[in-house]
Amino acid sequence: MTDENHDDTLDDLAELDEIVKGAENADGYYEIEEIPEKGVFLCVYPPKGDGFPVSLTKVEKELELLGVVEVDVVKLSEAVAKKEGEKVLIAPPQESKDQDAVVEVEISDNKMKASVVVTGAEGNGQPVTEDLIKEALKEAGVVFGIGEKAINDLVANETYGEPVQVAAGVEPEKGKDGRIEYQFRTEQVDLKPTELEDGSVDFYNLDMVENVIEGQVVAIKVPPLEGVAGKDVLGNEIEAEPGKAAEFSIGKNVKVSEEDESLLVAALSGQACLVDKKINVVEVYTVKSDVDYSTGNVTFVGSVVVKGNVRSGFVVKAGENVEINGMVENAKIEAGGNVIVRGGIFGQETGEIDAEGDIKIKFIENAIVRSKGSIMVGKAIMHSRVVAENEIIVGGKGVLVGGETSAGKKVKVKILGSRSAVATDIEVGVNPTLKEEYFALRETVQNSAKNHEKITKGVKTLSDLRSALKENFPADKQEMLDKLTEADKQLRSTLEASKARLDELEQRIDAMRGGTVAIGEKIFPGVKVTIGKSVRRFDQEVKDLRNNVLKEKQGEIILTS
């Protein structure tokens, strides 16, 4: 055993010694008991060891507090002096005292709680009841929030001498604050593909861009609520604090509606977004990477800028301009304005670019490119369908080989066709859009005419049958005749309008003249040039050209210097 453990053991023994001594030394004590019809008895117990005996004065004071009367002082003194632990009769039977139960009401400082303290009845006094408690509450002015169960439990459990809450007020409810309801997504889009009805998954249309048009509501200001008043236990109404009004955080290109100040609308068409917690509408949507499975198709009412490439199978559609810094693969580009493609397009025969304005592109290969303005190509057009209502100009090497190229006014290249005599068709002098409309409408008119002929025959057949059967003509046949008659009327009207438009287009196309094809260096075999209604095919190479021009003159296409 270490010295430290030895010291601890000595300390423990000393503590036990004190406990033993305490048990050996104890003060004397007494008990007072009232036995009905016999009287009041006192039992005094002696002290132990060095303990103190019971004090006569202490016993006398307690008897006084208890209200004991006619005390035999001699017997009292003897019992205290003898301290033999035996019951000694010190007073005769006491008269019973009748005292009603007493209810005291306590109300909290804020008047939101009320409690009662009950002193139980004595003798034949009136006991505490629910009605007694309620009457006390009424006298104290407590009229609201009284809990019947709390009162019933208090009476049943005889909870006396301590506060018991029996009433509670209702705190006022603060009105809800106003808020701004955004009418566009404010969080990052969860780019999950959509499962289609057939069970396949659409990885292309991820709905990433939030488009709005001018005047469209982008946010709504919801007003605050007034709140609900409270009431204290005295029945006083407590006024509720109203909610706080919300305010629009206005950024660029948005404004408060003139018709309704609770609405925030777009000042122009674009993308609605939050920038630094402010509501903005931006005119340009920027894709910082490639347009691929990470972005899905891009559809935007304003302009679109793509920092990377547009991968195969994806679509970029803009109401304004499209600018692509990289390549366009077998994808589709549509623009309500101009298109710029700095890397060119590898269309794989189905890739398309359509623009209402001009198109500027590095090269075009195996693609379909259409413009209602002009098309400027940096290097070459190869095996593509290229259409422009104005001009098509190929710079750099200036190669145009294969496919079909059509311009309303002019085509300008350096080299037309190739040594392998690939079929290369060029057409100028006719608005290609009008020409496409003409041929499409002509086919529609032909099909409509055939359908009209069939309907006319059906109407005649049913009409003849009705004339023959008269009142026996079946109802279902009459219904069919009515439908065919209405269809005949509508189709005749549509057919007349289409024929009129077809005649107009034919006259406009016939009136077009003056288109040219400018060649800087050479023309290879396999090239066919159409200007207006005139056609010229090249079976041999024409070289050493110096910006010569092919144009129509008196029904023939001639090469001029």
Side-chain angles (χ1 to χ4, degrees):
M1 180 182 294
T2 64
D3 292 340
E4 184 178 351
N5 290 337
H6 178 71
D7 292 341
D8 290 343
T9 301
L10 291 177
D11 290 341
D12 292 341
L13 291 174
E15 185 177 352
L16 289 171
D17 185 53
E18 290 296 326
I19 294 172
V20 170
K21 288 181 179 179
E24 293 175 349
N25 300 318
D27 292 341
Y29 64 97
Y30 63 93
E31 294 175 348
I32 299 173
E33 181 182 4
E34 182 179 0
I35 299 176
E37 299 180 359
K38 290 185 178 181
V40 179
F41 292 82
L42 174 66
C43 183
V44 179
Y45 296 90
K48 292 182 179 180
D50 295 333
F52 293 100
V54 172
S55 166
L56 175 61
T57 303
K58 184 176 181 181
V59 177
E60 288 176 335
K61 285 184 178 180
E62 183 163 353
L63 289 170
E64 184 180 355
L65 289 172
L66 292 173
V68 178
V69 296
E70 298 182 25
V71 176
D72 188 332
V73 178
V74 175
K75 289 184 178 181
L76 172 63
S77 299
E78 288 178 354
V80 173
K82 289 181 179 181
K83 42 186 180 294
E84 294 176 345
E86 296 180 357
K87 290 183 180 180
V88 177
L89 178 65
I90 60 171
Q94 303 292 300
E95 293 183 6
S96 61
K97 296 179 181 179
D98 297 334
Q99 184 174 335
D100 294 341
V102 177
V103 179
E104 296 181 18
V105 179
E106 298 178 353
I107 300 174
S108 63
D109 292 340
N110 62 1
K111 299 181 179 60
M112 295 302 289
K113 294 179 181 179
S115 302
V116 295
V117 179
V118 176
T119 302
E122 292 185 11
N124 294 319
Q126 180 185 350
V128 67
T129 63
E130 288 89 346
D131 290 340
L132 184 63
I133 294 174
K134 291 178 182 178
E135 184 63 29
L137 291 172
K138 182 178 180 182
E139 290 179 1
V142 178
V143 295
F144 179 77
I146 297 173
E148 295 285 345
K149 185 177 184 304
I151 294 175
N152 294 339
D153 290 347
L154 186 155
V155 173
N157 299 329
E158 298 183 351
T159 308
Y160 302 152
E162 61 182 72
V164 178
Q165 183 177 326
V166 293
V170 175
E171 296 285 350
E173 293 182 19
K174 181 181 179 297
K176 280 189 176 181
D177 291 341
R179 66 186 187 280
I180 302 299
E181 288 187 352
Y182 299 103
Q183 302 303 296
F184 59 93
R185 292 187 299 264
T186 58
E187 303 296 332
Q188 178 65 37
V189 180
D190 186 10
L191 299 178
K192 290 184 179 179
T194 303
E195 185 174 348
L196 303 178
E197 292 182 0
D198 61 2
S200 62
V201 177
D202 182 1
F203 289 95
Y204 296 92
N205 295 302
L206 301 182
D207 192 25
M208 190 173 181
V209 184
E210 193 79 22
N211 289 295
V212 295
I213 60 173
E214 182 179 350
Q216 181 175 333
V217 176
V218 295
I220 299 173
K221 185 192 298 184
V222 179
L225 299 179
E226 289 299 321
V228 180
K231 188 177 286 188
D232 64 24
V233 295
L234 303 182
N236 300 313
E237 185 173 291
I238 305 172
E239 186 177 351
E241 181 183 353
K244 296 179 180 178
E247 298 297 336
F248 290 125
S249 184
I250 298 177
K252 296 180 179 179
N253 303 319
V254 293
K255 62 182 181 179
V256 177
S257 169
E258 295 179 358
E259 290 79 19
D260 187 345
E261 291 185 353
S262 69
L263 304 179
L264 193 69
V265 299
L268 47 76
S269 297
Q271 180 194 14
C273 59
L274 283 181
V275 180
D276 295 331
K277 298 183 179 180
K278 293 183 177 181
I279 304 169
N280 293 262
V281 173
V282 296
E283 298 179 86
V284 178
Y285 179 74
T286 301
V287 181
K288 296 181 179 179
S289 59
D290 292 348
V291 174
D292 55 18
Y293 292 109
S294 68
T295 64
N297 296 332
V298 177
T299 301
F300 185 53
V301 293
S303 296
V304 174
V305 174
V306 179
K307 297 293 186 180
N309 307 305
V310 181
R311 297 300 182 183
S312 294
F314 290 91
V315 176
V316 175
K317 187 175 182 179
E320 300 295 334
N321 303 322
V322 174
E323 183 177 336
I324 300 167
N325 289 350
M327 301 286 302
V328 176
E329 298 179 354
N330 180 15
K332 187 172 183 179
I333 312 298
E334 294 182 32
N338 302 322
V339 172
I340 297 175
V341 183
R342 291 189 169 83
I345 179 171
F346 283 114
Q348 301 175 39
E349 297 185 356
T350 56
E352 293 183 42
I353 298 177
D354 285 277
E356 293 293 317
D358 297 333
I359 297 175
K360 294 181 180 180
I361 188 167
K362 190 173 184 179
F363 65 85
I364 302 172
E365 183 173 346
N366 287 306
I368 301 167
V369 179
R370 292 180 286 257
S371 166
K372 290 190 176 180
S374 297
I375 299 175
M376 283 71 74
V377 184
K379 289 185 176 181
I381 299 175
M382 295 170 285
H383 313 291
S384 298
R385 167 73 172 145
V386 182
V387 178
E389 290 191 7
N390 195 12
E391 298 180 340
I392 298 174
I393 299 174
V394 185
K397 294 181 179 180
V399 175
L400 195 166
V401 56
E404 300 174 357
T405 302
S406 176
K409 295 181 178 179
K410 179 180 181 179
V411 172
K412 183 178 180 180
V413 299
K414 288 184 178 178
I415 299 173
L416 195 54
S418 68
R419 295 185 186 280
S420 57
V422 173
T424 304
D425 292 349
I426 309 296
E427 183 175 12
V428 293
V430 175
N431 186 313
T433 302
L434 291 181
K435 189 174 181 180
E436 286 184 5
E437 183 187 354
Y438 173 80
F439 284 112
L441 186 59
R442 187 175 68 175
E443 182 177 359
T444 299
V445 167
Q446 290 171 349
N447 291 333
S448 296
K450 292 178 182 178
N451 291 334
H452 183 252
E453 184 178 353
K454 292 177 183 178
I455 290 173
T456 301
K457 288 181 179 179
V459 170
K460 184 177 186 309
T461 300
L462 289 172
S463 296
D464 291 345
L465 182 61
R466 183 177 63 181
S467 298
L469 296 177
K470 296 182 180 180
E471 65 272 7
N472 295 323
F473 188 60
D476 59 334
K477 294 295 188 291
Q478 181 61 53
E479 183 179 358
M480 182 182 297
L481 178 59
D482 293 340
K483 290 181 178 179
L484 286 175
T485 301
E486 180 61 26
D488 177 70
K489 180 180 178 181
Q490 292 181 0
L491 190 56
R492 184 182 292 111
S493 175
T494 301
L495 197 55
E496 289 175 358
S498 296
K499 285 181 178 180
R501 175 60 177 168
L502 196 64
D503 291 340
E504 178 188 353
L505 290 173
E506 190 170 1
Q507 292 174 10
R508 291 177 63 182
I509 291 171
D510 288 343
M512 290 180 179
R513 296 289 186 272
T516 61
V517 179
I519 306 99
E521 296 181 9
K522 62 182 70 176
I523 303 173
F524 284 106
V527 171
K528 182 179 78 170
V529 177
T530 301
I531 302 178
K533 291 186 177 182
S534 302
V535 179
R536 179 172 175 177
R537 291 179 171 82
F538 290 85
D539 298 324
Q540 296 181 346
E541 180 180 341
V542 180
K543 55 185 178 179
D544 299 327
L545 299 176
R546 295 291 183 270
N547 295 318
N548 294 73
V549 176
L550 289 168
K551 63 181 181 180
E552 188 268 339
K553 185 176 180 180
Q554 296 180 352
E556 294 184 1
I557 297 176
I558 61 173
L559 185 62
T560 63
S561 56

